[in-house]
Amino acid sequence: MLFSEKGNRFSIEEAHDADIGQNAVQRYTLEKNDNFILSVDSNKVELVLENKLDREKQKEMNLLLTALDGGSPQRSGTVVIHVTVLDANDNAPVFSQAVYKASLPENSPPDTIVITVSATDADEGLNRDVTYHLSHVSDDDVNLFTIDPKSGEIRVTGVIDFEESSSFEMRVQAKDGLGLTSYCKVIIDVTDINDNAPVIYLKSLTNPIPENVSPGTEVGIINVQDRDSDNNRQVRCSIQQNVPFKLVPSIKNYYSLVTTGQLDRELVSDYNITISATDEGSPPLSSSKTVQLSVADINDNPPVFEEQSYSAYVSENNKPGSTLCSVTARDPDWRQNGTVIYSLLPGEVNGAPVSSYLSVNGDTGVIHAVRSFDYEQFRSFKVQVMARDNGSPPLSSNVTVSVFISDVNDNSPQILYPAPEGNSFMTELVPKAAHGGSLVSKVIAVDSDSGQNAWLSYHIVKSTDPGLFTIGVHSGEIRTQRDISESDSMKQNLIVSVKDNGQPSLSATCSMYLLISDNLAEVPELKDISYDDKNSKLTSYLIIALVSVSTFFLTFIIIILGVRFCRRRKPRLLFDGAVAIPSAYLPPNYADVDGTGTLRSTYNYDAYLTTGSRTSDFKFVSSYNDNTLPADQTLRKSPSDFADPFEHLEVSVEVGDVELNSIHVLRLH
């Protein structure tokens, strides 16, 4: 086994010849070869390496060495020199390819084999054992790949992300046992996988949006990015359908968010707009982003009352400042645009400013009474309440508030006939032949209240003969309960109470004087009704005056009846009953006389004679009924305020200082 450099010498053992002298070994010859030559001197025989050996070309060779003697015939001897060429590490590893290329999908799992490199070494033994190493790898990639030192397999050890690096380039070193090395290049192309969903970026946004923006107004700009490549990065954007917005494509990957309709903050004050982006990978990936938009308020809504009209009910004689009702208006606008302020619109109620009757709380809408109301003055009135918001410009609306005043029983019955006051008294004549049930008189009363507070009832609380007369509870008509007898007192005095139906009930009383007589000759005795306890010294004068007046009265009555009989051509009795109404107590403007215990339309009063004062007045009154009375005034006027529209004739008779009782004549139809 031989290893040597050029020029190296290898000693050869000399040949042995038994002969001597010239016959001994004289020379040596070496079979021709490419590597060795023979060097012979007197002392030694050597093989000299003329050309370098290459074990990889020829591992062994046989050299024929011949030794020749000098005898004759010449004899020779040969020897075969077997040369074994020992390996020297004179060959570096050689890769099968100078450049290796591989394709690797991104996101390949760890331990995935990317590629296998291979290098060979012509040497043998230890000199041909090749090991592989990665070299010239960046710090970012050093943990991504590894190579098997024996097999040359390159495997994945880290996360391969196309978006981070689309290719890798590295050098692989092959080293033999004694350190000879060689290199190759490895290029790894990463193929894209659709592993990135689109990303939506909000570049600009107008927030809040005024609710009066016109359709088509741009409110935001959207940008969409996808880190993948090719079709994996082609993105389609869309928006949900239930919002008044849409996406309009702009430059590449940019979209404008615009309005599609009129906004109304009072309907929707905030929008959560979901924008979706989907790529065209397989399978496709998508993502979404929610954009929150607020709608800014514009004062576009006037206050609206909860009811179309309001009604307030209050009892008369209420306390000033009492609460009548409350109005409420809603304004769907925001903050000052939705702040409602209440006020009364200017106006008049019965000629006075409305503010003198009512006031309204500007913040709460509560309406208060400024004064105490009187049902007998007015029963209802209307006012206008305005609700105004605090926007700019302000908006307002109006509502009608009707105030109804309910009656309180605060008025006692007022007796029209007979007069309950004054020093005079009135007397009714009752025929002695009156039968049971005959109408002899009537108490007439009214009540300024209304409803049940004005329902009147009549009661006799005291009478001269309790069993002789009765009074209609609701009509006030005084009738006989039985026939008049001779034993009945000529002078009858009744005290009548008139009550209303209020709670509590109010009442008034009057005195009714009745004279049972068939002729006026008995009239002088009337003085005994009211003056039984007096012994007047003027009796004789009174009798003379009564006779004179009665004579004059009868004569005048006969004349008048004759005139009337000629006009109407139909008879009329002088005494059908005994009811008379003084003109001073008939209110010409009283209307509510039927159904409330007042005058009935079936009675017509024609004439009466009053002698209840120092002046005796005679008047002729035309026939009339209660349905003809006007109704523009109440009964609160004093008797002196009423005018007498029925006056035709007046005769005054003054009889000294004597005060005469009254005689009244009633004609019933």
Side-chain angles (χ1 to χ4, degrees):
M1 187 168 60
L2 180 66
F3 171 76
S4 170
E5 295 291 335
K6 183 179 179 180
N8 287 345
R9 293 176 178 269
F10 300 95
S11 297
I12 303 296
E13 185 179 354
E14 293 180 356
H16 178 71
D17 193 336
D19 296 325
I20 60 171
Q22 188 66 27
N23 294 327
V25 176
Q26 297 298 314
R27 60 184 182 93
Y28 294 88
T29 61
L30 183 65
E31 185 182 10
K32 187 176 179 179
N33 64 85
D34 295 331
N35 300 103
F36 293 94
I37 61 174
L38 187 61
S39 173
V40 180
D41 58 23
S42 60
N43 295 320
K44 57 183 177 179
V45 178
E46 294 177 331
L47 290 175
V48 179
L49 183 61
E50 185 178 32
N51 293 313
K52 187 176 180 180
L53 298 173
D54 188 354
R55 190 200 65 82
E56 286 73 32
K57 292 181 178 180
Q58 188 176 5
K59 296 181 179 181
E60 295 178 351
M61 63 183 65
N62 292 318
L63 300 177
L64 184 62
L65 178 63
T66 301
L68 297 172
D69 59 14
S72 179
Q74 190 178 25
R75 295 183 181 275
S76 65
T78 60
V79 64
V80 177
I81 303 173
H82 183 74
V83 178
T84 300
V85 181
L86 298 177
D87 184 45
N89 193 24
D90 59 345
N91 290 284
V94 177
F95 284 96
S96 60
Q97 295 177 220
V99 177
Y100 291 85
K101 290 185 178 181
S103 179
L104 178 66
E106 68 172 325
N107 301 327
S108 295
D111 210 32
T112 299
I113 298 177
V114 181
I115 195 172
T116 300
V117 297
S118 176
T120 58
D121 195 315
D123 298 322
E124 66 178 5
L126 182 62
N127 294 330
R128 67 176 300 169
D129 291 339
V130 178
T131 58
Y132 302 94
H133 306 277
L134 293 178
S135 64
H136 302 288
V137 181
S138 67
D139 295 337
D140 295 334
D141 301 338
V142 69
N143 295 322
L144 298 180
F145 302 96
T146 186
I147 188 169
D148 189 305
K150 297 297 183 181
S151 65
E153 290 179 347
I154 299 177
R155 296 175 181 268
V156 175
T157 58
V159 177
I160 306 301
D161 189 354
F162 175 86
E163 288 69 44
E164 293 292 334
S165 179
S166 61
S167 66
F168 299 92
E169 183 175 320
M170 63 190 73
R171 289 172 66 84
V172 177
Q173 179 192 62
K175 180 187 293 187
D176 61 19
L178 293 180
L180 294 181
T181 61
S182 62
Y183 296 88
C184 72
K185 181 185 294 185
V186 177
I187 298 175
I188 302 173
D189 291 325
V190 180
T191 58
D192 183 42
I193 299 297
N194 190 29
D195 60 341
N196 289 281
V199 180
I200 302 172
Y201 298 96
L202 184 62
K203 293 299 183 180
S204 66
L205 184 66
T206 302
N207 196 16
I209 314 167
E211 63 177 324
N212 61 346
V213 295
S214 58
T217 301
E218 182 181 85
V219 297
I221 297 176
I222 307 298
N223 176 241
V224 182
Q225 298 289 338
D226 195 316
R227 298 178 62 192
D228 296 321
S229 63
D230 300 329
N231 288 340
N232 294 334
R233 69 180 301 170
Q234 300 301 317
V235 180
R236 291 174 286 105
C237 264
S238 62
I239 195 171
Q240 64 193 84
Q241 299 300 316
N242 59 342
V243 293
F245 299 92
K246 68 178 180 179
L247 287 177
V248 177
S250 182
I251 60 176
K252 185 178 181 180
N253 296 329
Y254 280 86
Y255 297 85
S256 295
L257 182 63
V258 300
T259 59
T260 59
Q262 189 66 47
L263 304 179
D264 190 347
R265 191 203 68 86
E266 287 69 46
L267 294 178
V268 181
S269 59
D270 295 280
Y271 289 94
N272 291 324
I273 304 170
T274 301
I275 300 172
S276 299
T278 304
D279 61 28
E280 296 183 0
S282 180
L285 299 179
S286 62
S287 62
S288 62
K289 186 178 184 64
T290 300
V291 178
Q292 294 183 343
L293 284 175
S294 298
V295 182
D297 184 50
I298 299 298
N299 191 29
D300 57 347
N301 290 280
V304 177
F305 285 94
E306 292 184 346
E307 299 181 19
Q308 293 183 350
S309 62
Y310 290 85
S311 297
Y313 299 89
V314 59
S315 299
E316 65 173 327
N317 305 324
N318 59 290
K319 293 182 179 180
S322 58
T323 299
L324 301 187
C325 68
S326 176
V327 297
T328 303
R330 306 294 183 186
D331 194 320
D333 293 323
W334 193 54
R335 288 188 175 177
Q336 70 272 13
N337 294 334
T339 301
V340 180
I341 301 173
Y342 303 93
S343 61
L344 289 175
L345 289 179
E348 290 187 354
V349 176
N350 287 352
V354 67
S355 59
S356 65
Y357 289 89
L358 300 177
S359 67
V360 62
N361 188 302
D363 296 326
T364 63
V366 176
I367 297 177
H368 301 276
V370 175
R371 64 166 65 176
S372 179
F373 301 125
D374 188 354
Y375 176 85
E376 286 70 44
Q377 290 185 357
F378 54 89
R379 301 183 179 184
S380 66
F381 61 92
K382 295 182 178 181
V383 297
Q384 292 284 324
V385 177
M386 179 180 69
R388 175 180 58 84
D389 61 29
N390 208 24
S392 180
L395 301 178
S396 63
S397 60
N398 302 333
V399 71
T400 298
V401 178
S402 300
V403 180
F404 298 95
I405 303 169
S406 58
D407 183 46
V408 173
N409 192 29
D410 58 345
N411 290 281
S412 300
Q414 182 179 357
I415 299 176
L416 301 180
Y417 180 81
E421 54 187 24
N423 294 327
S424 63
F425 63 92
M426 298 183 182
T427 303
E428 304 292 349
L429 292 177
V430 179
K432 291 181 179 181
H435 298 289
S438 299
L439 176 66
V440 298
S441 185
K442 178 180 175 69
V443 177
I444 302 174
V446 294
D447 196 309
S448 299
D449 295 320
S450 65
Q452 66 177 9
N453 294 331
W455 297 349
L456 302 181
S457 59
Y458 302 84
H459 309 275
I460 298 176
V461 297
K462 186 178 181 181
S463 64
T464 303
D465 188 348
L468 183 56
F469 298 100
T470 184
I471 190 169
V473 175
H474 301 295
S475 64
E477 295 175 348
I478 298 176
R479 296 178 181 272
T480 56
Q481 296 191 69
R482 55 178 174 79
D483 295 344
I484 302 296
S485 64
E486 293 294 335
S487 61
D488 292 327
S489 173
M490 178 182 294
K491 295 173 290 183
Q492 297 289 331
N493 184 11
L494 304 179
I495 297 179
V496 178
S497 172
V498 183
K499 296 182 180 180
D500 59 28
N501 199 36
Q503 293 295 332
S505 176
L506 301 178
S507 63
T509 58
C510 65
S511 296
M512 177 67 70
Y513 302 100
L514 301 177
L515 178 64
I516 299 176
S517 175
D518 285 333
N519 58 72
L520 295 179
E522 299 175 358
V523 169
E525 297 181 7
L526 291 176
K527 59 185 173 64
D528 297 334
I529 296 177
S530 58
Y531 298 104
D532 289 342
D533 56 342
K534 295 182 181 181
N535 294 319
S536 175
K537 296 181 180 181
L538 300 177
T539 301
S540 58
Y541 296 103
L542 180 57
I543 293 174
I544 295 173
L546 287 175
V547 172
S548 301
V549 171
S550 298
T551 303
F552 178 78
F553 176 77
L554 290 175
T555 304
F556 193 78
I557 288 298
I558 292 172
I559 295 173
I560 290 178
L561 291 177
V563 173
R564 290 176 63 85
F565 179 81
C566 292
R567 288 182 181 179
R568 301 185 181 181
R569 293 187 178 182
K570 58 182 179 178
R572 224 178 239 198
L573 296 177
L574 179 60
F575 296 107
D576 292 334
V579 177
I581 302 177
S583 63
Y585 295 99
L586 256 180
N589 296 317
Y590 182 71
D592 189 14
V593 296
D594 192 11
T596 57
T598 58
L599 288 172
R600 300 283 183 171
S601 59
T602 57
Y603 301 106
N604 292 320
Y605 302 89
D606 293 327
Y608 60 90
L609 179 65
T610 60
T611 58
S613 64
R614 297 189 180 188
T615 302
S616 177
D617 299 331
F618 177 83
K619 299 183 181 180
F620 179 84
V621 183
S622 299
S623 171
Y624 68 96
N625 59 56
D626 56 357
N627 291 329
T628 62
L629 299 179
D632 57 349
Q633 295 183 9
T634 67
L635 293 173
R636 293 197 171 216
K637 297 182 180 180
S638 62
S640 61
D641 293 336
F642 293 100
D644 187 358
F646 309 111
E647 181 176 336
H648 296 288
L649 180 64
E650 180 176 318
V651 177
S652 299
V653 178
E654 183 174 341
V655 187
D657 295 328
V658 179
E659 183 174 2
L660 303 181
N661 296 328
S662 301
I663 301 174
H664 305 277
V665 178
L666 169 67
R667 174 171 297 169
L668 303 178
H669 302 285

Short mmCIF file of all heavy atoms in Angstrom, two decimals, residues 115 149 287 514 622 659:
data_model
loop_
_atom_site.label_atom_id
_atom_site.label_comp_id
_atom_site.label_asym_id
_atom_site.label_seq_id
_atom_site.Cartn_x
_atom_site.Cartn_y
_atom_site.Cartn_z
N ILE A 115 -36.39 19.53 0.69
CA ILE A 115 -35.56 19.01 -0.38
C ILE A 115 -34.41 18.22 0.25
O ILE A 115 -34.08 18.42 1.44
CB ILE A 115 -35.03 20.14 -1.28
CG1 ILE A 115 -34.48 19.60 -2.59
CG2 ILE A 115 -34.02 20.99 -0.53
CD1 ILE A 115 -34.14 20.71 -3.59
N PRO A 149 -27.44 16.02 8.93
CA PRO A 149 -26.02 15.98 8.56
C PRO A 149 -25.65 14.75 7.73
O PRO A 149 -24.71 14.82 6.94
CB PRO A 149 -25.31 15.95 9.91
CG PRO A 149 -26.29 16.51 10.87
CD PRO A 149 -27.63 16.08 10.37
N SER A 287 -64.10 38.95 6.36
CA SER A 287 -64.04 39.66 7.64
C SER A 287 -65.06 40.78 7.60
O SER A 287 -65.61 41.12 6.54
CB SER A 287 -62.64 40.22 7.90
OG SER A 287 -62.29 41.16 6.91
N LEU A 514 -154.76 84.68 52.58
CA LEU A 514 -155.94 84.32 51.81
C LEU A 514 -157.19 84.87 52.52
O LEU A 514 -157.30 84.79 53.74
CB LEU A 514 -156.04 82.80 51.67
CG LEU A 514 -154.85 82.10 51.00
CD1 LEU A 514 -155.07 80.60 51.01
CD2 LEU A 514 -154.66 82.61 49.59
N SER A 622 -151.67 92.70 29.98
CA SER A 622 -152.14 91.83 28.91
C SER A 622 -151.81 90.38 29.23
O SER A 622 -150.90 90.10 29.98
CB SER A 622 -151.46 92.23 27.59
OG SER A 622 -151.77 93.54 27.25
N GLU A 659 -152.49 102.53 55.73
CA GLU A 659 -151.89 101.59 54.79
C GLU A 659 -152.87 100.46 54.57
O GLU A 659 -153.28 99.79 55.50
CB GLU A 659 -150.57 101.01 55.33
CG GLU A 659 -149.90 100.09 54.34
CD GLU A 659 -148.54 99.65 54.83
OE1 GLU A 659 -148.17 100.04 55.93
OE2 GLU A 659 -147.89 98.92 54.08
#
